[in-house]
Amino acid sequence: MITGVNDRARTGGRSRRAAGAVVGRRARLRWVHLVLGGALLMPYWMLSVVLFGALNPNQPPARQLLLYVLSLFVSLPMAAVTALVPVVRGLEGSAARALCSAARPEDLATGPARSWAARRRTALWHVLHLLFGGVVAGMTLAGTPFAVVLLCGFSGTEEFVRMWQRHFPGWLATGPLLGLGVLLLILGTNAVCGALLARWAPALLGPTPEERVAAAERRATVLAQRNRLARELHDSVGHALSAVGIQASAAARVLRKDPDFAAEALAAIEETARSAVAELDAVLGLLREEDPGAAGPAGPTLSGLDDLLRQLGRAGVAVDAELAPGLSGLPPAVSREAYRIVQEGLTNVLRHAGPARAGLRVGLADGRLEIELTNPLGAARPSRPGGGRGLRGIGERVAALRGGSTAGPGEDGTTWRLAVWLPVTGGTT
């Protein structure tokens, strides 16, 4: 029990040390970020100081201090004007992402500002960064040596000691406390300014609503293309592998008893593999396109159904097909998707029902293409892990063409029925 308590205490101590290290590192990075802002402020401030003549040693100290402060506030609009350059947003975003610990990195824009709204927000951020940075940098450069002098009890010359004793009686005793207070003030100012910048960074340096919409559209396009390629690979290569597996198994069982059938099965395997390689090349061609969306639809259409039915017949699935005339005149996109739907439906028969007789009807009625596929339920084969993508792919194809589909046991409870309808946007020939 004592050992467990000690282990928890050590674990808690390590966690606190790790948390403290993270906080300390974040404070250091934010301090670097603010000092960088102070360094960026210096050219504007020095130019303003020169313009106001604040460097003239003949003017009273009070007037000179006032000109310094006025120069600071004049330099900020100058910095805001230069921040309207589009590339500034990318630079400020990179600095905030690396040093400011501002929320999530993806909340900050990485590219240049392409709209005036984004440029104005970047200019406001730039001004705040330079203002807070100038304050923290000035306090660090001037306040740190002053605090060290007070903490160390530096006596200096007799004139210096008399001056401090006159204005601050007992300063030698209270000096270390005052020095500690100055250091805490510097640290607190750094923490507050850094936290404010980190909080405002996503709002001022983040993508505009238009950029977010454009990014979402690009991501949707990429996801749609990936789903399309996944469906093509699943339907073409998956069908071929299923057919090859069934045919190879049948050939192995009758190799000695019926060599002619085995030779026919091996020939079918060769034909299926050759067809699968051709379709795989077509799908991989889409991946090699610099603009995948520009690539037109590839793959077989309903005109190739005879080859598909003959291939399934060799694998043991006899199909009673009823094909309407005029299918060759369907729009290519509809014909291609319809072929893949039929192919996936028949492949599911091969996978799950084994050698069986299936019924297929493909017809045209009322401006739409209707597909109906039925097969006996029988003794279903065990499903493989990760299955179920076929029907989902059919649903995605149907949805893309604004059609409809149903799949499930038939009314008699002895058959499985897949029904699909697709709108025909073009006429037939």
Side-chain angles (χ1 to χ4, degrees), residues 302-307 309 319-328 342 346 359-364 369-372:
L302 288 178
S303 59
L305 272 183
D306 291 338
D307 294 336
L309 298 180
V319 182
D320 296 328
E322 180 184 344
L323 306 180
L327 296 180
S328 60
V342 172
L346 292 175
L360 172 65
R361 185 183 67 84
V362 182
L364 291 169
L369 177 68
E370 297 179 348
I371 301 172
E372 184 179 21

Side-chain angles (χ1 to χ4, degrees), residues 27-45:
R28 290 193 298 271
L29 290 177
R30 288 181 175 178
W31 176 80
V32 172
H33 184 248
L34 289 167
V35 170
L36 177 62
L40 294 174
L41 176 65
M42 287 303 297
Y44 304 102
W45 183 71

